[in-house]
Amino acid sequence: GNSVTQMEGPVTLSEEAFLTINCTYTATGYPSLFWYVQYPGEGLQLLLKATKADDKGSNKGFEATYRKETTSFHLEKGSVQVSDSAVYFCALASGSARQLTFGSGTQLTVLP
Amino acid sequence: DTAVSQTPKYLVTQMGNDKSIKCEQNLGHDTMYWYKQDSKKFLKIMFSYNNKELIINETVPNRFSPKSPDKAHLNLHINSLELGDSAVYFCASSQVQYSYEQYFGPGTRLTVT
């Protein structure tokens, strides 16, 4: 079956630091990959996505590249801000079930 | 306009009660979902409806019953509430014909005392 393994948190960084949150997956077929973000007290929002190997998703300074050879989709940002403090979820979707499989989430706290 | 809305946002109730959570989407999507998020932020799919037809029904107690009166609405009814039902419940929707991307509601925080 499908599964997503995400770097455990919490992660605490100073403002302007470099961020990497690791995500690896196991899936049958050719999954689509996603990063969702959940700000405190809110629902999940799609941050970025990639639908095929070597695609790079990007949004709000965040990037992630779909690496089929390493089955990874690591999230990166060059300079984090306090407003980036949130929980980040890696997810994949494949097959006819149209179901998202989520990782366990990584809590990010950015200190001023 | 809110794309996916849920009511209520907070729900505090006692064990043994029956409660409902409502969800509406105005995106014209054909598929809707219910997720449960526990205190450690872990997300678990509970149900999925496509054009009012149940297509995903994960292992949840049969005290939980989804109802989809039309494509834009998916309600969750919970009977005989238990302490372990305390969680945040999220509704989501997608247009599966074109994308796996799901749009989430703001969540309903259920507290059972």
Side-chain angles (χ1 to χ4, degrees):
Chain A
N2 296 339
S3 68
V4 176
T5 302
Q6 198 175 328
M7 179 172 133
E8 284 196 25
V11 174
T12 302
L13 296 173
S14 297
E15 206 165 23
E16 299 184 2
F18 184 85
L19 169 71
T20 300
I21 300 178
N22 290 338
C23 172
T24 57
Y25 66 90
T26 303
T28 53
Y30 302 96
S32 295
L33 302 174
F34 304 85
W35 277 100
Y36 279 82
V37 58
Q38 184 179 22
Y39 297 104
E42 298 184 10
L44 278 73
Q45 303 173 26
L46 180 66
L47 181 60
L48 53 84
K49 66 180 179 182
T51 57
K52 61 183 188 297
D54 300 326
D55 269 1
K56 177 185 281 188
S58 61
N59 186 24
K60 299 181 180 180
F62 291 89
E63 293 183 340
T65 301
Y66 188 143
R67 301 283 188 203
K68 194 169 187 299
E69 64 276 12
T70 55
T71 61
S72 64
F73 192 55
H74 305 321
L75 182 68
E76 296 182 336
K77 186 174 185 182
S79 176
V80 293
Q81 306 300 312
V82 172
S83 57
D84 293 327
S85 298
V87 181
Y88 292 82
F89 292 91
C90 186
L92 71 81
S94 69
S96 60
R98 298 295 193 261
Q99 184 174 340
L100 280 178
T101 300
F102 284 92
S104 56
T106 302
Q107 173 76 56
L108 170 67
T109 301
V110 181
L111 302 176
Chain B
D1 278 346
T2 304
V4 182
S5 59
Q6 295 178 226
T7 54
K9 187 165 176 64
Y10 299 97
L11 184 53
V12 181
T13 188
Q14 291 184 330
M15 286 174 55
N17 285 349
D18 302 340
K19 291 294 179 185
S20 291
I21 306 172
K22 295 186 177 181
C23 178
E24 176 181 1
Q25 55 96 3
N26 63 6
L27 298 168
H29 288 168
D30 60 4
T31 303
M32 297 183 72
Y33 311 81
W34 277 110
Y35 289 87
K36 179 180 181 181
Q37 185 176 48
D38 64 22
S39 59
K40 295 184 178 180
K41 303 293 186 182
F42 184 75
L43 272 165
K44 178 183 174 181
I45 181 81
M46 301 175 70
F47 302 103
S48 172
Y49 269 75
N50 176 264
N51 287 318
K52 296 173 55 179
E53 180 183 346
L54 182 65
I55 57 170
I56 294 174
N57 184 4
E58 294 295 318
T59 306
V60 298
N62 57 15
R63 298 181 294 104
F64 289 79
S65 54
K67 287 184 171 53
S68 182
D70 55 57
K71 280 172 48 174
H73 296 84
L74 180 62
N75 303 324
L76 183 65
H77 189 75
I78 315 171
N79 290 328
S80 302
L81 278 155
E82 300 177 357
L83 292 176
D85 298 332
S86 296
V88 181
Y89 293 84
F90 287 102
C91 177
S93 73
S94 67
Q95 185 63 23
V96 297
Q97 182 180 2
Y98 302 113
S99 171
Y100 290 110
E101 183 176 331
Q102 294 182 16
Y103 292 78
F104 283 75
T108 296
R109 181 175 293 277
L110 172 64
T111 303
V112 182
T113 62

